[in-house]
Amino acid sequence: EVQLVESGGGLVQAGGSLRLSCETSGFSFKDYSVVWFRQAPGKEREGVSCINRIDGAKYYVDSVKGRFTVSSDNTKNTVYLQMDNLEPEDTAVYYCGADEVSCLLNAKGAADWYDHWGQGTQVTVSS
């Protein structure tokens, strides 16, 4: 059974940093891409970053490039999202997802590409 559990969210001031963790079980990173999405109140879930299956390529949406870094630790079956220089616009519930597909972040409805999701972790950035 595929399971994903996020942690690491919290309240931080603008310019601060947080590291989110996604503990995974039930699959291998070689077979599943792992993605981070976020959802702000009243908005659709939007893609943030992804680690592609097979080749481990990493992808980011333009709004977080240079500020967020995605990584994985195969020994801990955990994917991390290091978020630096946070902005109030980054406030959202952050979810990790996974599936036996290649990364897809920017297309409308991209979240539907993934069948497995964690429960989410709240990130709040104050100005």
Side-chain angles (χ1 to χ4, degrees), residues 58-74:
K58 300 173 182 179
Y59 300 93
Y60 304 90
V61 293
D62 287 346
S63 61
V64 307
K65 281 180 181 176
R67 300 189 298 121
F68 290 12
T69 304
V70 67
S71 62
S72 62
D73 185 335
N74 289 353

Side-chain angles (χ1 to χ4, degrees), residues 41-58:
K43 295 188 176 182
E44 290 188 0
R45 193 172 292 195
E46 66 168 349
V48 175
S49 183
C50 185
I51 296 182
N52 202 42
R53 62 176 182 163
I54 301 174
D55 63 3
K58 300 173 182 179

Side-chain angles (χ1 to χ4, degrees), residues 33-100:
S33 294
V34 179
V35 64
W36 286 97
F37 272 63
R38 65 188 179 186
Q39 188 164 20
K43 295 188 176 182
E44 290 188 0
R45 193 172 292 195
E46 66 168 349
V48 175
S49 183
C50 185
I51 296 182
N52 202 42
R53 62 176 182 163
I54 301 174
D55 63 3
K58 300 173 182 179
Y59 300 93
Y60 304 90
V61 293
D62 287 346
S63 61
V64 307
K65 281 180 181 176
R67 300 189 298 121
F68 290 12
T69 304
V70 67
S71 62
S72 62
D73 185 335
N74 289 353
T75 64
K76 298 181 178 179
N77 294 321
T78 300
V79 174
Y80 301 99
L81 185 68
Q82 177 67 40
M83 306 187 296
D84 298 317
N85 195 21
L86 282 160
E87 304 169 351
E89 293 75 21
D90 296 317
T91 295
V93 178
Y94 284 69
Y95 300 90
C96 65
D99 217 322
E100 292 179 281

